[in-house]
Amino acid sequence: MAADLGELLVPYMPTIRVPRTGDRVFKSECAFSYDSPESEGGLYVCMNTFLGFGREHVERHYRKTGQSVYMHLKRHVKEKSPGAAGGAIPRRRNGKVFLDLELNRDFNGDEYECEDEAKLVIFPDHYEIPLPNIEELPALVTIACDAVLNAVSAYKKQEHDSWEEEIQTSKHSRGLRQLDNGVRIPPSGWKCQKCEMRENLWLNLTDGSVLCGKWFFDGAGGNGHALEHYKETKFPLAVKLDNITPDGADIYSFDEEEAVLDPQISEHLQHFGIDMLQMQRNGTENGHHNTDNSNDARPRVSEWEVIQEAGMKLKAVYGSGFTGIKNLGNSCYLGTTMQVLFSIPEFQRAYVGNLQRIFDYSPLDPTTDFNTQMAKLGHGLLSGLFSKPPIKSELIEQVMKEEHKHQPKGISPKMFKALISRGHPEFSSNRQQDAHEFFLHLINLVERNSAGSENPSDVFRHLVEERVQCCQTKRVRYTHKVDYVMQLPAPMEAASNREELIAYEAKRKEAEENMRAPPEPVRARIPFTACLQAFTEPENVPDFWSSALQAKSAGVKTSRFASFPEYLVMQIKKFTFGVDWVPKKLDLSIEVPDFLDLSRFRGTGLQAGEEELPDLAPPIVLPEDTRAPEIDESAAMQLAEMGFPLEACRKAVYYTGNMGPEMAFNWIIAHMEEPDFAEPLALPSFMEPATSMASPGLAGTPLDNQPPEESIAILTSMGFPRRHTVQALRASNNNLERALDWIFTHPEREEDEETSDALSDMADTTEPNDNVFSNANTNSDSTLSPDQDPSGPRVKDGPGRYELFAFISHMGASTMSGHYICHVKKEGRWVIFNDHKVCLSERPPKDLGYIYFYRRLSSR
C-alpha cells in the first residue's frame, strides 16, 4: 500500500511544497467565500500556494493553475452528549490536525465538542488519502502536511506583523534637547512651513518645526522637508501630528532611520502646548461597551442606550441583505460602512452582479485582489447563506434525528480588512478609526480598481462650485471641484435650548469650583435649517492672494452645488479639538429630515454685474538662502565624463535630490532638448507673476500644487511625457504613488494636448481625485457623462431632492474610541446593524447620527 501511495504521488511531487518562513497558510477561510473547515464541504488548502478554497471554488483553482494536490480540512462541531462533564476539553479525533485553527463560530466550550479530520485530495479524480499516514507517504509529503497542519494561520501571523511589531526606544528620548523658543502648536490648521502642504506633517520635537514627510513614507504625500530639516539641524526626533492619542503617537528617528518609542513623549509634547494625557477616552478599546463610570461619561451612557435602542425587544431578521459583520476588535467603522455601501444597487451590481466574471479573471492569489474581495464580501452579505434563522421548536423531532448544526453569526471580514488596510498607518492598526475617513479611503480604492469597468463610487461624485471674492476689489473667481461628501457644520450657537445650555455650563463650573458632583448633562438641540445655513455662509480664505491687487488680501469663499449626485453623503461635523488639544465630540441632537430638497443651493456661476479676477498666477517666492545649493559633485563629474556639459550634470544632480548618477542620467535624457539645458544652475528668490497657461476663464494653477522637478524627473525617467507627468503630479498633490495611478487611469490623448493642462485635476488630500474647472453655469437638467468628456469629471447631474435611506451613528467621546452602528431602510422598514446582530429597528435615532446617506428621488 505504501508503494502504491508513493507511486500515486510521484507525478505531483514537484508541485508539493513545504511552507517556508514568510509563507501565509490560509487554512481557516476560502479566498472566494466565507467557507471554512466548519462548513459543510470543509476547506481545501493548495499544497503549493497554501491558499484555501471552499468546495464550490477549488475546481476553479485547479483549472486555472493545474495544481492537483490539496489538503482537505473538516471540523465537525456537535453538542455534548447528555451527562458530559462541563468544562471538558473538546474531543478531537486527530490531535495535531488543527493545532492553530481557531473556532469560527461563537460556541461555548462547555456545551460543544469538535472532531477534526484531514486528508489529501488529488484532482481531478478526487482520490483521497486520509491523514495522518506517515508510514505510507513519501517523506517530503509527510513533512509538507505536518508543516501545513502546524503552521500559524495567515490571520494570526498578520495580526502579529501588524499589531505586535517590535519597536525600540530611541536612544535620543531620554536626553532630548528642546529649544525654549516659545513655539506653541495649535490643535488644527497645520501646514508645512516650507511648502504649505497639509498632509503627512511631522512635528520636530527639538524646535517645534512643522514639516512634511517624504512622498513614499507611510503612503502619504510630502516633499521631504522634515528630513531636510534634520540634515540641516541634526534634530533627531519627530512626531506625526494627526496620530497623537492618549496611548501614544507615531515617532520617527531620522538618526536611527526607523520608527521608535519615546517614553517621555508626553513631556516632550507638553513643551509645545500639547497635553496628550488629558485626551481620555470614554469607552473601551473593543468597541462594545462604555465602562468609564466617571461623571464625565454620563452623557455618553445615555447616547449608547438611545443609539443601540437598549431596553427594547428588537426582533432579529435573517436572509438576503440581513447578514451581520463580526467585530474584529475596533473594526465596527468598517462593518457599518460596508453594510451601507452594499445596500446601494450600483455596488451590488458592480461586484455581486459580476461575481463569476470577477472570480474567473482574478489573479493567481485572489486574497490580494481588491475586486475579488469586494465581490466576496458583497456576496457574503447579500446571499443569505450566513444569515439563517435558528431551527424552530416545531422542528425539534427532526433536530433529534440529525446532527445539530449551530447557525453562524455573521461573516468575519479578516481577509477583506487585511487587504484594504495594507500599507495604511491607521487602518492597518487595531485602533478605532473615523468612519468618514474610512469611507473616503474605500472610495479611493474603488476608483483605483475600476479602470475600464463600472465605477460604483460615481453615484457619490458631484461638483461643488466655489466662489471666491476679493474683499477689496469685489472681483470674483468661480471654480468647480469634485467632492464625495457634504460636510455639514453644527453651529452650537444656534441651539434651540441655548438658555438651558448656558445655565448648565454655569452650574457645571460652579460644581467644579466647589468640588461637587456635576449637574445632569444637557444635550444641545440644533435645528437642521441652521446647519444648512452655516454650510452656505461665507468663510475667510487664509493667505488669499488677489490677482487684481497682485498682493495678499482678505478673501471670502462660498460653496454651492454645481451638480447633485445620485446618492448624497452628508457628514455632521461633530468632532473637534479644544484649545488644550483634547479631542472631543459635540453632544448634540439634530432632527435630520427624511426628505431633503437642496435645489435652492445649486450654484449659479458668474452673474451679471460680477467682474472676474484676472487670470494671473501669484509670484513664486522662494525662501532666502545665501548658501550654494547642495550638489553631489562626484556624481556630477561621473556624468560629465560621459560627455554631457558639466552645468547640465550639476542641474541633473540637484533636481533629482542627490539620489545618484543613475537618476540624474535619466533627468538628463529627459531634458536634453530644452534650450537652457547647458546653462548654469540658477535659483532666483523671486519670479514675476505670469499669465496662467489656462484658457480664458480657467482658474490659474495654485502655487502649492506646482510639482517639484525631482518628482517630474522620476516619472519622466520611466518613459512618461513631461507634460503628462506634470498633469499627473498636479492631480495627485505631488504624491508619486498616486500620480502613477493617475497616469495609468488617464491615458494621454492627442486632442487633449492643448487643454489638458488647464483641466488638470486638483487633488484635495483628504478626498480622492478632486478636480478644478473653470466658470460654468451648470444646467440642472444636464448630465455630464464620462463618455462625453473623458478628461472631465465623471458626474451625473439631476434634481436635488432626496430621501434618507441609511445613517451611521457613533457612540463615545471621540473618533479614537467608542463604537459604530448603522441603520438602513430596507423594504420600507428600518433595520439596525450592530456588528453581527441584525434586527428590526423600533425607534431609529435619526437625530444622533454621524453620517447620513440619501438617495435621489425619481422625477415624476
Side-chain angles (χ1 to χ4, degrees):
M1 181 66 181
D4 293 342
L5 288 179
E7 293 177 3
L8 179 68
L9 289 169
V10 165
Y12 310 107
M13 293 290 284
T15 67
I16 298 176
R17 292 199 306 117
V18 178
R20 297 188 296 268
T21 302
D23 282 337
R24 297 183 300 167
V25 179
F26 293 89
K27 59 181 183 178
S28 60
E29 183 180 328
C30 172
F32 293 106
S33 71
Y34 291 94
D35 288 334
S36 72
E38 297 164 35
S39 302
E40 184 176 352
L43 191 73
Y44 295 82
V45 179
C46 175
M47 293 302 292
N48 182 269
T49 64
F50 311 116
L51 294 169
F53 302 96
R55 185 166 60 186
E56 294 183 4
H57 301 285
V58 64
E59 291 277 1
R60 176 188 290 107
H61 186 258
Y62 162 70
R63 292 193 303 268
K64 180 179 289 189
T65 65
Q67 300 297 333
S68 299
V69 183
Y70 295 81
M71 179 182 290
H72 182 254
L73 304 177
K74 176 63 179 154
R75 166 164 288 177
H76 304 274
V77 180
K78 298 181 180 181
E79 285 186 292
K80 287 183 178 178
S81 57
I89 298 175
R91 178 168 55 90
R92 289 191 170 91
R93 184 179 300 165
N94 295 326
K96 298 182 73 175
V97 168
F98 294 161
L99 188 62
D100 193 55
L101 181 60
E102 66 277 4
L103 276 164
N104 283 334
R105 308 184 188 182
D106 300 324
F107 292 124
N108 186 326
D110 294 340
E111 300 176 3
Y112 295 90
E113 61 184 4
C114 58
E115 293 183 357
D116 299 340
E117 62 176 328
K119 54 191 174 186
L120 286 181
V121 180
I122 302 176
F123 281 75
D125 299 325
H126 292 264
Y127 188 88
E128 298 181 356
I129 304 174
L131 296 175
N133 210 339
I134 299 176
E135 295 180 356
E136 300 179 3
L137 294 177
L140 173 64
V141 178
T142 300
I143 295 171
C145 290
D146 191 58
V148 169
L149 293 172
N150 290 280
V152 176
S153 69
Y155 303 119
K156 285 189 176 182
K157 178 177 178 59
Q158 178 165 357
E159 289 173 7
H160 177 82
D161 294 342
S162 300
W163 304 334
E164 300 177 14
E165 183 179 355
E166 190 71 23
I167 301 179
Q168 303 297 325
T169 299
S170 171
K171 64 182 180 182
H172 300 287
S173 61
R174 182 179 297 274
L176 183 70
R177 181 169 66 97
Q178 292 190 283
L179 304 183
D180 190 12
N181 53 11
V183 172
R184 290 294 180 269
I185 305 299
S188 61
W190 321 300
K191 60 183 178 181
C192 176
Q193 294 172 200
K194 291 189 177 181
C195 69
E196 300 195 358
M197 287 199 67
R198 296 179 182 271
E199 70 169 355
N200 192 22
L201 297 177
W202 295 76
L203 170 68
N204 189 287
L205 291 175
T206 296
D207 64 356
S209 298
V210 176
L211 300 162
C212 62
K214 289 291 286 182
W215 68 267
F216 52 82
F217 188 81
D218 72 23
N223 295 315
H225 289 135
L227 178 60
E228 290 180 8
H229 186 67
Y230 162 71
K231 292 179 178 179
E232 295 170 0
T233 64
K234 300 303 179 184
F235 298 156
L237 298 184
V239 59
K240 201 168 191 292
L241 274 177
D242 57 357
N243 286 353
I244 300 173
T245 73
D247 298 330
D250 292 342
I251 306 164
Y252 189 80
S253 172
F254 294 107
D255 178 43
E256 297 158 282
E257 297 185 346
E258 63 179 353
V260 295
L261 296 176
D262 178 7
Q264 283 80 39
I265 184 60
S266 176
E267 300 171 15
H268 292 157
L269 290 173
Q270 187 71 52
H271 181 81
F272 300 110
I274 304 174
D275 191 351
M276 64 179 291
L277 292 183
Q278 290 187 23
M279 298 182 186
Q280 297 301 324
R281 301 180 178 186
N282 296 323
T284 60
E285 284 299 318
N286 62 14
H288 288 287
H289 299 287
N290 185 344
T291 58
D292 190 339
N293 296 319
S294 66
N295 289 323
D296 290 341
R298 285 194 295 172
R300 302 304 170 199
V301 172
S302 173
E303 183 183 54
W304 282 63
E305 292 175 351
V306 173
I307 291 178
Q308 295 189 107
E309 304 185 49
M312 297 184 182
K313 295 182 179 180
L314 302 179
K315 180 183 178 181
V317 286
Y318 304 92
S320 175
F322 299 108
T323 303
I325 298 179
K326 293 181 181 179
N327 195 323
L328 305 178
N330 284 330
S331 68
C332 49
Y333 65 90
L334 178 151
T336 53
T337 302
M338 301 314 299
Q339 290 284 12
V340 174
L341 290 183
F342 275 109
S343 69
I344 296 174
E346 284 76 6
F347 276 83
Q348 296 174 3
R349 183 172 62 250
Y351 295 107
V352 183
N354 292 316
L355 186 80
Q356 290 304 320
R357 183 184 62 81
I358 292 174
F359 284 179
D360 288 342
Y361 289 95
S362 63
L364 294 180
D365 185 357
T367 67
T368 63
D369 183 61
F370 176 79
N371 290 333
T372 299
Q373 295 308 311
M374 281 287 283
K376 170 184 170 180
L377 180 67
H379 181 261
L381 293 176
L382 300 175
S383 65
L385 295 175
F386 306 95
S387 179
K388 296 180 179 179
I391 299 174
K392 298 181 180 179
S393 58
E394 290 83 2
L395 301 178
I396 186 65
E397 185 175 335
Q398 180 181 351
V399 174
M400 293 176 65
K401 294 179 181 179
E402 297 181 359
E403 182 185 47
H404 180 75
K405 297 178 181 179
H406 194 89
Q407 299 300 323
K409 294 183 178 180
I411 58 177
S412 179
K414 290 181 179 180
M415 194 175 292
F416 179 75
K417 183 179 186 297
L419 175 63
I420 64 173
S421 63
R422 184 176 302 164
H424 194 285
E426 289 302 311
F427 299 130
S428 61
S429 73
N430 198 26
R431 299 188 293 267
Q432 185 62 279
Q433 304 297 333
D434 184 0
H436 169 246
E437 293 181 3
F438 176 75
F439 171 78
L440 293 176
H441 172 68
L442 189 77
I443 293 301
N444 208 339
L445 292 176
V446 173
E447 290 269 359
R448 291 185 183 187
N449 291 276
S450 296
S453 60
E454 178 184 7
N455 185 345
S457 68
D458 284 350
V459 298
F460 305 120
R461 194 177 174 98
H462 62 277
L463 288 176
V464 174
E465 176 190 275
E466 292 188 341
R467 176 185 183 271
V468 179
Q469 182 177 39
C470 173
C471 294
Q472 286 187 249
T473 65
K474 303 302 180 184
R475 299 174 78 172
V476 298
R477 174 179 295 125
Y478 286 86
T479 57
H480 289 171
K481 77 167 188 175
V482 171
D483 214 337
Y484 292 81
V485 179
M486 176 187 184
Q487 293 186 296
L488 205 62
M492 296 292 287
E493 65 277 5
S496 58
N497 59 339
R498 193 162 182 263
E499 294 182 0
E500 191 179 357
L501 290 170
I502 294 174
Y504 161 73
E505 187 63 23
K507 291 179 182 179
R508 188 192 64 79
K509 289 183 178 179
E510 181 183 355
E512 186 177 315
E513 292 172 358
N514 297 322
M515 301 183 68
R516 295 199 305 264
E520 189 68 22
V522 176
R523 175 170 289 130
R525 296 191 298 271
I526 302 177
F528 183 74
T529 53
C531 299
L532 285 178
Q533 182 63 33
F535 172 76
T536 58
E537 287 291 327
E539 58 179 299
N540 292 326
V541 180
D543 299 324
F544 175 69
W545 187 85
S546 172
S547 59
L549 301 173
Q550 296 194 20
K552 285 192 175 183
S553 174
V556 293
K557 180 180 71 174
T558 54
S559 298
R560 295 289 189 275
F561 285 92
S563 70
F564 288 112
E566 295 182 57
Y567 287 81
L568 177 70
V569 183
M570 183 174 68
Q571 178 210 16
I572 304 296
K573 298 172 73 172
K574 286 187 173 185
F575 297 97
T576 183
F577 281 93
V579 294
D580 54 358
W581 267 78
V582 179
K584 61 180 181 181
K585 185 173 79 175
L586 302 176
D587 188 18
L588 51 86
S589 168
I590 301 174
E591 289 294 339
V592 176
D594 286 317
F595 296 93
L596 183 61
D597 189 348
L598 299 176
S599 301
R600 65 186 185 279
F601 298 110
R602 182 180 286 277
T604 59
L606 188 67
Q607 295 295 290
E610 289 184 326
E611 188 177 359
E612 287 188 89
L613 285 164
D615 201 12
L616 299 175
I620 300 176
V621 181
L622 300 177
E624 295 185 4
D625 192 347
T626 57
R627 295 172 299 176
E630 182 179 349
I631 295 176
D632 184 351
E633 296 292 349
S634 61
M637 290 303 298
Q638 279 184 258
L639 295 170
E641 291 174 358
M642 299 171 65
F644 299 114
L646 177 60
E647 290 300 332
C649 298
R650 298 182 77 250
K651 284 199 295 186
V653 171
Y654 175 78
Y655 283 124
T656 55
N658 293 304
M659 297 176 69
E662 183 177 354
M663 194 66 70
F665 175 79
N666 292 332
W667 186 95
I668 288 175
I669 299 301
H671 294 77
M672 287 182 65
E673 303 301 323
E674 296 180 2
D676 60 347
F677 174 68
E679 294 183 7
L681 175 66
L683 296 176
S685 60
F686 180 85
M687 187 176 295
E688 291 295 332
T691 301
S692 171
M693 294 299 293
S695 302
L698 289 172
T701 302
L703 168 64
D704 58 0
N705 203 34
Q706 180 60 33
E709 278 295 328
E710 54 267 30
S711 299
I712 297 174
I714 292 173
L715 292 178
T716 53
S717 68
M718 300 179 185
F720 302 115
R722 177 180 174 85
R723 185 188 56 75
H724 203 202
T725 294
V726 171
Q727 187 178 359
L729 287 166
R730 286 175 177 169
S732 59
N733 205 25
N734 299 332
N735 183 301
L736 278 174
E737 181 182 0
R738 287 167 55 191
L740 276 172
D741 286 338
W742 191 96
I743 288 174
F744 289 125
T745 57
H746 295 74
E748 191 175 29
R749 305 196 325 164
E750 293 181 4
E751 56 266 37
D752 295 335
E753 286 182 359
E754 295 182 0
T755 59
S756 58
D757 281 347
L759 296 175
S760 294
D761 287 351
M762 278 289 294
D764 182 333
T765 57
T766 62
E767 298 177 12
N769 300 331
D770 288 350
N771 297 270
V772 168
F773 290 86
S774 67
N775 299 333
N777 192 351
T778 305
N779 189 320
S780 61
D781 297 326
S782 66
T783 297
L784 301 179
S785 168
D787 297 331
Q788 296 171 356
D789 184 6
S791 65
R794 303 183 314 276
V795 294
K796 295 183 178 180
D797 198 4
R801 298 185 299 275
Y802 296 94
E803 179 184 7
L804 181 68
F805 77 94
F807 62 95
I808 295 174
S809 305
H810 175 267
M811 298 160 284
S814 81
T815 55
M816 298 180 297
S817 63
H819 181 51
Y820 287 96
I821 69 170
C822 70
H823 288 72
V824 182
K825 198 172 187 179
K826 291 175 177 278
E827 301 173 0
R829 305 172 300 175
W830 282 100
V831 179
I832 178 174
F833 292 83
N834 190 354
D835 292 337
H836 62 277
K837 294 176 289 186
V838 184
C839 302
L840 292 178
S841 173
E842 294 291 333
R843 193 178 300 168
K846 290 180 281 189
D847 60 323
L848 296 179
Y850 173 44
I851 306 175
Y852 295 86
F853 295 81
Y854 285 84
R855 67 165 60 94
R856 179 187 290 152
L857 290 171
S858 58
S859 301
R860 293 181 180 176

